[in-house]
Amino acid sequence: MNIHPIMDNIDQKLLENLLEDTSFINWAKKKNQNDINYWNSWISNNESKIETIDLAKSIVIGINFNKTELPNDTVEKELNKVLTTIDATFAIKKHKQTKKNILSYIPYGIAAVLAIIFVVLVSNNNATITHETAFGEIINLTLPDGTSVVLNGNSFITYSKQNPRNVTLVGEAYFKVKPIPSTKAKFWVTTNDLKVEVYGTKFHVNTRDKKTDVVLDEGSIHLVLKNGVTKKINPGEFVSFSKETEKITHTKVSKKNPYKLWRNGTYIFNNQTLKTVMKNIESTYGLPIYFKEKNLEQIIISGGIPNQNIEICLKAIEKSAGIKLIKRNDSIVISTQ
Protein backbone atom coordinates (compact mmCIF):
# COMPACT_ATOMS: atom_id res chain seq x y z
CA MET A 1 0.00 0.00 0.00
CA ASN A 2 1.30 3.45 -0.87
CA ILE A 3 0.88 5.70 2.14
CA HIS A 4 -0.45 9.19 1.54
CA PRO A 5 1.74 12.03 2.96
CA ILE A 6 -0.93 12.71 5.59
CA MET A 7 -0.28 9.24 7.01
CA ASP A 8 3.50 9.12 6.53
CA ASN A 9 4.41 9.66 10.16
CA ILE A 10 1.56 7.71 11.75
CA ASP A 11 2.59 4.61 13.72
CA GLN A 12 -0.49 2.41 13.32
CA LYS A 13 0.38 -0.02 16.14
CA LEU A 14 1.13 2.80 18.55
CA LEU A 15 -2.13 4.50 17.51
CA GLU A 16 -4.13 1.36 18.34
CA ASN A 17 -2.44 1.04 21.74
CA LEU A 18 -3.01 4.69 22.59
CA LEU A 19 -6.72 4.48 21.77
CA GLU A 20 -7.07 1.54 24.19
CA ASP A 21 -4.99 3.09 26.98
CA THR A 22 -7.11 4.63 29.76
CA SER A 23 -4.09 6.57 31.00
CA PHE A 24 -3.60 8.20 27.59
CA ILE A 25 -7.34 8.93 27.33
CA ASN A 26 -7.16 10.66 30.73
CA TRP A 27 -4.23 12.75 29.43
CA ALA A 28 -6.09 13.72 26.28
CA LYS A 29 -9.16 14.72 28.29
CA LYS A 30 -7.03 16.33 31.04
CA LYS A 31 -8.71 14.21 33.71
CA ASN A 32 -5.87 12.88 35.89
CA GLN A 33 -2.80 14.89 36.89
CA ASN A 34 -0.60 11.80 37.30
CA ASP A 35 -1.50 10.64 33.78
CA ILE A 36 -0.98 14.17 32.42
CA ASN A 37 2.51 14.33 33.96
CA TYR A 38 3.39 10.86 32.68
CA TRP A 39 2.33 11.48 29.07
CA ASN A 40 3.87 14.96 28.94
CA SER A 41 7.16 13.34 29.95
CA TRP A 42 6.69 10.44 27.50
CA ILE A 43 6.01 12.81 24.62
CA SER A 44 9.05 14.95 25.41
CA ASN A 45 11.18 11.80 25.12
CA ASN A 46 9.44 10.52 21.98
CA GLU A 47 9.15 13.57 19.74
CA SER A 48 9.23 11.39 16.60
CA LYS A 49 5.79 10.08 17.61
CA ILE A 50 4.15 13.49 17.89
CA GLU A 51 2.00 13.05 14.74
CA THR A 52 0.61 9.79 16.09
CA ILE A 53 0.00 11.38 19.49
CA ASP A 54 -1.84 14.34 17.94
CA LEU A 55 -4.03 12.09 15.81
CA ALA A 56 -4.84 9.82 18.74
CA LYS A 57 -5.72 12.84 20.88
CA SER A 58 -8.03 14.18 18.14
CA ILE A 59 -9.80 10.83 17.95
CA VAL A 60 -10.17 10.53 21.74
CA ILE A 61 -11.63 14.02 22.03
CA GLY A 62 -13.79 13.91 18.93
CA ILE A 63 -14.89 10.28 18.61
CA ASN A 64 -15.81 7.81 21.35
CA PHE A 65 -16.05 4.44 19.63
CA ASN A 66 -14.52 1.05 20.18
CA LYS A 67 -12.31 -0.87 17.77
CA THR A 68 -13.75 -3.61 15.61
CA GLU A 69 -11.75 -5.74 13.22
CA LEU A 70 -12.12 -5.10 9.49
CA PRO A 71 -10.29 -6.80 6.64
CA ASN A 72 -7.09 -4.95 5.75
CA ASP A 73 -8.12 -4.64 2.10
CA THR A 74 -11.39 -2.95 3.13
CA VAL A 75 -9.60 -0.31 5.16
CA GLU A 76 -7.05 0.19 2.39
CA LYS A 77 -9.71 0.64 -0.31
CA GLU A 78 -11.66 3.16 1.76
CA LEU A 79 -8.52 5.08 2.66
CA ASN A 80 -7.34 5.24 -0.97
CA LYS A 81 -10.79 6.35 -2.06
CA VAL A 82 -10.84 9.30 0.34
CA LEU A 83 -7.20 10.24 -0.26
CA THR A 84 -7.76 10.19 -4.04
CA THR A 85 -10.58 12.69 -3.53
CA ILE A 86 -8.27 14.88 -1.48
CA ASP A 87 -5.60 14.77 -4.21
CA ALA A 88 -8.17 15.65 -6.90
CA THR A 89 -9.47 18.57 -4.87
CA PHE A 90 -6.00 19.99 -4.40
CA ALA A 91 -5.15 19.52 -8.11
CA ILE A 92 -8.25 21.42 -9.29
CA LYS A 93 -7.78 24.26 -6.85
CA LYS A 94 -3.99 24.47 -6.91
CA HIS A 95 -3.60 27.18 -9.60
CA LYS A 96 -6.38 29.30 -8.04
CA GLN A 97 -5.37 29.31 -4.43
CA THR A 98 -2.84 31.33 -2.53
CA LYS A 99 -0.87 29.81 0.32
CA LYS A 100 -3.37 31.25 2.73
CA ASN A 101 -6.35 29.65 1.00
CA ILE A 102 -4.65 26.27 0.69
CA LEU A 103 -4.47 26.14 4.48
CA SER A 104 -8.27 26.06 4.51
CA TYR A 105 -8.13 22.52 3.02
CA ILE A 106 -6.19 21.06 5.93
CA PRO A 107 -9.39 20.30 7.89
CA TYR A 108 -10.55 18.16 4.94
CA GLY A 109 -7.45 16.01 5.32
CA ILE A 110 -7.98 15.65 9.05
CA ALA A 111 -11.66 14.85 8.48
CA ALA A 112 -10.72 12.20 5.92
CA VAL A 113 -8.33 10.47 8.31
CA LEU A 114 -10.90 10.62 11.10
CA ALA A 115 -13.51 9.19 8.72
CA ILE A 116 -11.30 6.15 8.13
CA ILE A 117 -10.62 5.75 11.83
CA PHE A 118 -14.37 6.04 12.36
CA VAL A 119 -14.92 3.04 10.07
CA VAL A 120 -12.33 1.01 11.95
CA LEU A 121 -13.48 1.97 15.44
CA VAL A 122 -17.28 1.79 15.20
CA SER A 123 -18.85 -0.86 17.44
CA ASN A 124 -20.98 -1.18 20.55
CA ASN A 125 -19.32 1.29 22.88
CA ASN A 126 -21.39 0.44 25.96
CA ALA A 127 -20.84 -3.34 26.09
CA THR A 128 -19.81 -4.64 29.52
CA ILE A 129 -18.21 -8.04 30.03
CA THR A 130 -18.78 -9.98 33.27
CA HIS A 131 -17.07 -13.15 34.51
CA GLU A 132 -18.65 -14.76 37.58
CA THR A 133 -17.99 -17.89 39.64
CA ALA A 134 -20.41 -20.05 41.60
CA PHE A 135 -19.84 -21.06 45.23
CA GLY A 136 -16.69 -23.18 45.47
CA GLU A 137 -15.80 -22.69 41.78
CA ILE A 138 -12.38 -21.51 40.55
CA ILE A 139 -11.92 -20.43 36.92
CA ASN A 140 -8.94 -19.31 34.85
CA LEU A 141 -9.51 -16.40 32.46
CA THR A 142 -7.52 -14.63 29.77
CA LEU A 143 -8.61 -11.04 29.17
CA PRO A 144 -8.56 -9.52 25.65
CA ASP A 145 -5.22 -7.78 26.36
CA GLY A 146 -3.55 -11.07 27.35
CA THR A 147 -3.78 -10.59 31.13
CA SER A 148 -4.53 -13.84 32.99
CA VAL A 149 -6.91 -13.97 35.96
CA VAL A 150 -7.68 -16.76 38.42
CA LEU A 151 -11.13 -16.03 39.90
CA ASN A 152 -12.05 -17.63 43.22
CA GLY A 153 -15.49 -18.93 44.18
CA ASN A 154 -18.37 -16.52 44.76
CA SER A 155 -16.54 -13.72 42.92
CA PHE A 156 -16.92 -11.65 39.76
CA ILE A 157 -15.04 -9.15 37.62
CA THR A 158 -16.49 -6.70 35.10
CA TYR A 159 -14.93 -4.46 32.48
CA SER A 160 -15.95 -2.40 29.49
CA LYS A 161 -15.42 -4.02 26.12
CA GLN A 162 -13.82 -0.72 25.17
CA ASN A 163 -11.15 -1.03 27.87
CA PRO A 164 -10.39 -4.51 29.28
CA ARG A 165 -7.42 -3.09 31.21
CA ASN A 166 -9.75 -1.43 33.72
CA VAL A 167 -11.59 -4.09 35.74
CA THR A 168 -13.83 -4.03 38.80
CA LEU A 169 -13.53 -6.92 41.27
CA VAL A 170 -15.90 -8.21 43.93
CA GLY A 171 -14.54 -11.27 45.74
CA GLU A 172 -11.08 -12.71 45.25
CA ALA A 173 -8.76 -12.99 42.26
CA TYR A 174 -5.13 -13.42 41.26
CA PHE A 175 -3.85 -11.29 38.37
CA LYS A 176 -0.89 -11.76 36.06
CA VAL A 177 -0.95 -8.53 34.03
CA LYS A 178 0.44 -8.56 30.51
CA PRO A 179 2.70 -5.54 29.96
CA ILE A 180 2.48 -3.39 26.83
CA PRO A 181 6.07 -2.10 26.37
CA SER A 182 5.30 0.25 23.47
CA THR A 183 3.25 2.58 25.69
CA LYS A 184 3.69 1.11 29.17
CA ALA A 185 -0.12 1.06 29.30
CA LYS A 186 -1.47 0.83 32.82
CA PHE A 187 -3.85 -1.79 34.20
CA TRP A 188 -6.38 -1.03 36.95
CA VAL A 189 -8.30 -3.17 39.42
CA THR A 190 -11.03 -1.24 41.24
CA THR A 191 -12.69 -2.43 44.46
CA ASN A 192 -15.02 -0.79 46.95
CA ASP A 193 -12.03 0.37 49.01
CA LEU A 194 -9.24 1.22 46.58
CA LYS A 195 -7.80 1.15 43.08
CA VAL A 196 -4.77 -0.94 42.11
CA GLU A 197 -2.61 0.69 39.41
CA VAL A 198 -0.04 -1.47 37.60
CA TYR A 199 1.89 -1.90 34.34
CA GLY A 200 2.81 -5.58 34.27
CA THR A 201 3.03 -7.73 37.39
CA LYS A 202 1.51 -10.52 39.53
CA PHE A 203 -0.68 -9.79 42.52
CA HIS A 204 -3.58 -11.04 44.63
CA VAL A 205 -6.70 -9.03 45.57
CA ASN A 206 -9.37 -10.03 48.11
CA THR A 207 -12.41 -7.82 48.79
CA ARG A 208 -14.01 -10.04 51.44
CA ASP A 209 -15.12 -8.92 54.90
CA LYS A 210 -15.73 -5.22 54.09
CA LYS A 211 -12.08 -4.51 53.23
CA THR A 212 -9.59 -5.08 50.42
CA ASP A 213 -6.37 -7.08 50.85
CA VAL A 214 -3.60 -6.84 48.24
CA VAL A 215 -0.47 -9.01 48.11
CA LEU A 216 2.21 -8.40 45.48
CA ASP A 217 4.25 -11.31 44.12
CA GLU A 218 6.23 -9.62 41.33
CA GLY A 219 6.70 -6.12 39.93
CA SER A 220 5.51 -2.89 41.51
CA ILE A 221 2.03 -1.47 42.07
CA HIS A 222 0.42 1.68 43.41
CA LEU A 223 -2.76 1.71 45.47
CA VAL A 224 -5.07 4.71 45.42
CA LEU A 225 -7.17 4.38 48.57
CA LYS A 226 -10.68 5.80 48.77
CA ASN A 227 -9.50 8.22 51.47
CA GLY A 228 -7.06 9.80 49.00
CA VAL A 229 -3.89 8.14 50.31
CA THR A 230 -1.53 6.60 47.73
CA LYS A 231 0.66 3.62 48.63
CA LYS A 232 3.41 1.87 46.71
CA ILE A 233 3.80 -1.88 47.24
CA ASN A 234 6.95 -3.87 46.60
CA PRO A 235 7.16 -7.63 46.04
CA GLY A 236 6.46 -9.64 49.18
CA GLU A 237 4.33 -6.91 50.79
CA PHE A 238 0.72 -6.98 52.00
CA VAL A 239 -1.69 -4.04 52.26
CA SER A 240 -5.19 -4.11 53.72
CA PHE A 241 -7.60 -1.16 53.70
CA SER A 242 -11.25 -0.64 54.66
CA LYS A 243 -13.15 2.39 53.38
CA GLU A 244 -15.58 2.11 56.30
CA THR A 245 -13.01 2.08 59.13
CA GLU A 246 -10.14 3.75 57.18
CA LYS A 247 -7.83 1.21 58.82
CA ILE A 248 -4.61 0.62 56.86
CA THR A 249 -2.26 -2.34 57.33
CA HIS A 250 1.03 -2.45 55.39
CA THR A 251 3.40 -5.29 56.22
CA LYS A 252 5.81 -7.82 54.78
CA VAL A 253 4.28 -11.16 53.85
CA SER A 254 5.26 -13.78 56.40
CA LYS A 255 4.11 -17.24 57.40
CA LYS A 256 1.67 -15.61 59.79
CA ASN A 257 0.18 -13.36 57.12
CA PRO A 258 -3.43 -14.29 56.16
CA TYR A 259 -2.52 -14.96 52.54
CA LYS A 260 -3.99 -18.16 51.14
CA LEU A 261 -2.68 -19.88 48.03
CA TRP A 262 -6.22 -20.86 47.03
CA ARG A 263 -5.74 -20.68 43.26
CA ASN A 264 -4.22 -24.17 43.06
CA GLY A 265 -7.32 -25.69 44.65
CA THR A 266 -6.00 -25.67 48.21
CA TYR A 267 -6.18 -23.19 51.07
CA ILE A 268 -2.82 -22.86 52.79
CA PHE A 269 -3.12 -21.72 56.40
CA ASN A 270 -0.11 -20.95 58.59
CA ASN A 271 -0.99 -20.53 62.26
CA GLN A 272 -4.40 -19.04 61.47
CA THR A 273 -7.32 -19.00 63.92
CA LEU A 274 -10.33 -21.20 63.21
CA LYS A 275 -12.39 -18.00 62.99
CA THR A 276 -10.20 -16.75 60.11
CA VAL A 277 -10.31 -20.14 58.38
CA MET A 278 -14.10 -20.38 58.60
CA LYS A 279 -14.48 -16.80 57.37
CA ASN A 280 -12.88 -17.95 54.11
CA ILE A 281 -15.25 -20.91 53.90
CA GLU A 282 -18.22 -18.62 54.53
CA SER A 283 -17.14 -16.24 51.75
CA THR A 284 -16.31 -18.96 49.21
CA TYR A 285 -19.35 -21.17 49.74
CA GLY A 286 -21.91 -18.64 50.98
CA LEU A 287 -22.60 -20.64 54.14
CA PRO A 288 -23.06 -18.68 57.40
CA ILE A 289 -20.83 -19.91 60.25
CA TYR A 290 -21.97 -20.30 63.88
CA PHE A 291 -19.69 -21.16 66.83
CA LYS A 292 -21.49 -22.89 69.71
CA GLU A 293 -18.63 -21.95 72.01
CA LYS A 294 -16.70 -18.67 71.73
CA ASN A 295 -13.35 -20.20 72.70
CA LEU A 296 -13.42 -22.43 69.58
CA GLU A 297 -12.78 -19.36 67.41
CA GLN A 298 -9.16 -19.15 68.66
CA ILE A 299 -8.08 -22.68 67.75
CA ILE A 300 -4.94 -22.44 65.59
CA ILE A 301 -4.79 -24.26 62.24
CA SER A 302 -1.84 -24.86 59.89
CA GLY A 303 -1.61 -26.84 56.68
CA GLY A 304 -3.40 -27.35 53.38
CA ILE A 305 -7.16 -27.82 52.99
CA PRO A 306 -8.85 -28.71 49.65
CA ASN A 307 -11.20 -25.86 48.73
CA GLN A 308 -13.21 -27.10 45.75
CA ASN A 309 -15.39 -29.67 47.52
CA ILE A 310 -17.22 -28.48 50.61
CA GLU A 311 -17.60 -31.94 52.17
CA ILE A 312 -13.89 -32.78 51.87
CA CYS A 313 -13.00 -29.28 53.01
CA LEU A 314 -15.07 -29.56 56.20
CA LYS A 315 -13.72 -33.02 57.05
CA ALA A 316 -10.15 -31.75 56.68
CA ILE A 317 -10.88 -28.85 59.06
CA GLU A 318 -12.55 -31.20 61.56
CA LYS A 319 -9.51 -33.46 61.61
CA SER A 320 -7.03 -30.59 61.86
CA ALA A 321 -8.86 -28.69 64.64
CA GLY A 322 -10.36 -31.60 66.55
CA ILE A 323 -13.89 -30.20 66.32
CA LYS A 324 -17.29 -31.07 64.86
CA LEU A 325 -18.72 -29.24 61.83
CA ILE A 326 -22.40 -29.81 61.10
CA LYS A 327 -24.20 -28.50 58.00
CA ARG A 328 -27.67 -27.42 59.06
CA ASN A 329 -30.24 -25.33 57.14
CA ASP A 330 -27.63 -24.01 54.67
CA SER A 331 -25.25 -23.01 57.46
CA ILE A 332 -22.37 -24.58 59.39
CA VAL A 333 -22.49 -25.07 63.14
CA ILE A 334 -19.16 -25.58 64.97
CA SER A 335 -19.00 -27.48 68.25
CA THR A 336 -16.68 -29.72 70.26
CA GLN A 337 -16.45 -33.43 69.40
Side-chain angles (χ1 to χ4, degrees):
M1 174 181 177
N2 294 322
I3 303 297
H4 188 276
I6 293 175
M7 302 292 286
D8 274 347
N9 296 319
I10 301 301
D11 183 330
Q12 294 289 350
K13 186 61 179 178
L14 175 60
L15 179 62
E16 292 174 9
N17 289 335
L18 292 174
L19 295 177
E20 295 177 357
D21 188 341
T22 301
S23 174
F24 177 80
I25 293 172
N26 286 341
W27 171 81
K29 295 183 177 181
K30 300 180 180 179
K31 282 188 174 182
N32 182 295
Q33 190 58 50
N34 288 335
D35 293 328
I36 291 172
N37 292 339
Y38 169 78
W39 283 103
N40 283 343
S41 175
W42 191 92
I43 292 168
S44 67
N45 293 318
N46 295 272
E47 294 183 357
S48 63
K49 305 296 184 181
I50 193 65
E51 288 85 356
T52 306
I53 291 289
D54 287 343
L55 179 57
K57 180 180 179 181
S58 297
I59 294 169
V60 167
I61 295 175
I63 301 177
N64 191 23
F65 292 97
N66 192 17
K67 183 177 72 173
T68 185
E69 296 297 328
L70 289 177
N72 289 334
D73 60 343
T74 299
V75 176
E76 184 173 341
K77 288 177 183 177
E78 292 300 320
L79 180 58
N80 283 331
K81 189 184 300 182
V82 176
L83 294 179
T84 299
T85 302
I86 296 173
D87 289 335
T89 301
F90 275 99
I92 293 171
K93 300 294 183 178
K94 185 176 180 180
H95 68 285
K96 296 181 180 179
Q97 303 299 325
T98 64
K99 181 177 179 180
K100 179 179 179 180
N101 288 334
I102 288 175
L103 291 176
S104 67
Y105 284 93
I106 291 177
Y108 290 99
I110 296 174
V113 174
L114 293 179
I116 299 306
I117 300 300
F118 176 89
V119 174
V120 179
L121 298 180
V122 169
S123 71
N124 183 359
N125 186 45
N126 297 318
T128 298
I129 308 300
T130 300
H131 298 286
E132 186 173 3
T133 54
F135 292 120
E137 179 185 23
I138 296 177
I139 62 174
N140 291 275
L141 306 168
T142 300
L143 303 185
D145 72 322
T147 292
S148 63
V149 181
V150 185
L151 195 60
N152 201 1
N154 188 27
S155 305
F156 69 87
I157 61 170
T158 61
Y159 56 87
S160 166
K161 187 177 179 182
Q162 184 183 15
N163 185 15
R165 290 180 73 84
N166 192 344
V167 307
T168 297
L169 168 70
V170 174
E172 188 170 22
Y174 185 83
F175 295 86
K176 183 179 179 181
V177 175
K178 183 178 178 63
I180 301 180
S182 61
T183 63
K184 294 184 179 180
K186 294 180 183 178
F187 187 99
W188 288 270
V189 178
T190 300
T191 75
N192 187 51
D193 303 290
L194 53 82
K195 193 168 188 176
V196 186
E197 182 180 286
V198 304
Y199 291 104
T201 186
K202 301 177 183 178
F203 59 99
H204 166 272
V205 183
N206 186 344
T207 71
R208 317 284 197 195
D209 202 22
K210 297 182 180 180
K211 60 184 176 64
T212 296
D213 298 338
V214 181
V215 178
L216 178 63
D217 281 352
E218 293 181 11
S220 176
I221 61 179
H222 287 81
L223 303 182
V224 182
L225 311 184
K226 285 295 176 73
N227 64 358
V229 174
T230 299
K231 281 198 168 288
K232 179 181 179 180
I233 305 185
N234 297 311
E237 292 184 345
F238 164 89
V239 167
S240 179
F241 176 70
S242 169
K243 182 180 69 172
E244 293 187 3
T245 64
E246 294 199 351
K247 179 182 178 181
I248 303 174
T249 302
H250 189 170
T251 66
K252 286 280 190 180
V253 174
S254 67
K255 290 185 177 181
K256 295 183 179 181
N257 193 285
Y259 175 42
K260 281 71 64 177
L261 299 177
W262 51 267
R263 59 188 183 276
N264 293 321
T266 303
Y267 282 130
I268 303 295
F269 296 102
N270 293 292
N271 296 320
Q272 297 298 303
T273 64
L274 183 59
K275 180 179 180 180
T276 298
V277 173
M278 297 311 296
K279 196 70 176 176
N280 280 272
I281 303 304
E282 183 176 53
S283 297
T284 301
Y285 291 96
L287 297 171
I289 305 297
Y290 300 98
F291 286 87
K292 273 194 170 183
E293 301 170 45
K294 189 74 173 176
N295 64 301
L296 297 179
E297 295 181 353
Q298 301 308 312
I299 294 176
I300 301 299
I301 290 182
S302 292
I305 298 173
N307 65 356
Q308 291 183 284
N309 182 299
I310 184 62
E311 301 299 337
I312 296 176
C313 182
L314 295 181
K315 288 186 180 299
I317 295 174
E318 280 185 334
K319 185 175 181 180
S320 177
I323 54 165
K324 189 70 175 177
L325 301 178
I326 302 173
K327 285 183 65 179
R328 180 185 301 164
N329 298 326
D330 294 324
S331 64
I332 298 176
V333 177
I334 303 173
S335 62
T336 57
Q337 291 280 17

